[in-house]
Amino acid sequence: MQEEGTHGRWSAVAALPAAAAALVYAWARWCSVGAAPPSPTVAVAGGAVLVLGASPAYAVSVRGACGLFGALFLALGLLSTAAATERTAARAETATCVVREVRAETEASLGEGGAEKTVYRLALDCPGGYPGELKDAPSPLSRGAEVRIAHDPRRRLSPVPAGAAGPWEPALSALLLLTSATVLAAHRRRPQP
């Protein structure tokens, strides 16, 4: 009888990554395209509560190295889920803007190899005055160049170049990380009675 209860508990822990991802997806979707979304402060705080609540719950339930790595995979998977959700949100309008200024910033990588990455930020002149800036432009553009920008007229989503990359990269990362967390929880040995 105790074995059935333990099996049910482990099944629930193994299902935690999928349940947490569904909650994060629903929260991020509501915050980005909902009819009456929360303020940006509440949106970020709510997302943080979901991520920072699910990961320790997982770590405490699974325990040991599997719990530690699974909680890390879960947190990263939930952040990737939020990123994929943001990328799928429709930016209903496009505008042809003129590049007013190009700022190049070099960022050092914290990973192995220490490779540097150049990030371009564009100051824009757009019809109606919005958007005024494009952060993380994919490549340098010269001053005076025209660029098509997709943006959300409600200003809840960051503007992106029209035709920008879809959600596949963060969605695949989320799937891989959440699957890893699920496998770690499912294969964690149950404690002996």
Side-chain angles (χ1 to χ4, degrees), residues 15 20 24 33 35 39 49 59-60 63 69 76 99-100 106 123 126 129-130 166 183 190:
V24 166
V33 296
S39 70
V49 166
V60 167
R63 296 190 191 112
F69 286 107
L76 294 173
V99 176
R100 184 176 65 243
T106 303
C126 297
Y130 183 79
V183 167
R190 293 188 288 260

Side-chain angles (χ1 to χ4, degrees), residues 92-99 122 124 126-127 131 134 138 141 145-151 159-164:
E93 293 185 10
T94 57
T96 301
C97 304
V98 176
V99 176
L122 307 177
L124 303 171
C126 297
L134 180 63
L141 293 171
E146 288 189 347
V147 61
R148 295 215 19 97
I149 304 293
H151 64 94
V160 296

Side-chain angles (χ1 to χ4, degrees), residues 21-66:
L23 284 172
V24 166
Y25 172 81
W27 178 258
R29 188 81 180 156
W30 178 56
C31 291
S32 60
V33 296
S39 70
T41 303
V42 173
V44 170
V49 166
L50 290 172
V51 172
L52 297 176
S55 298
Y58 179 98
V60 167
S61 298
V62 177
R63 296 190 191 112
C66 287

Side-chain angles (χ1 to χ4, degrees), residues 85-187:
T85 305
E86 191 271 337
R87 282 199 188 173
T88 61
R91 287 156 173 89
E93 293 185 10
T94 57
T96 301
C97 304
V98 176
V99 176
R100 184 176 65 243
E101 180 185 351
V102 178
R103 292 182 303 270
E105 298 175 10
T106 303
E107 296 178 352
S109 171
L110 299 177
E112 267 186 56
E116 293 183 341
K117 175 184 174 186
T118 302
V119 177
Y120 301 97
R121 302 198 193 295
L122 307 177
L124 303 171
D125 285 326
C126 297
Y130 183 79
E133 182 180 40
L134 180 63
K135 298 177 181 178
D136 299 330
S139 62
L141 293 171
S142 61
R143 186 174 179 204
E146 288 189 347
V147 61
R148 295 215 19 97
I149 304 293
H151 64 94
D152 176 14
R154 296 176 293 177
R155 300 182 183 191
R156 285 194 241 159
L157 303 169
S158 301
V160 296
W168 303 115
E169 184 179 319
L172 289 174
S173 295
L175 181 63
L176 178 65
L177 290 162
L178 295 169
T179 300
S180 299
T182 302
V183 167
L184 285 173
H187 286 100

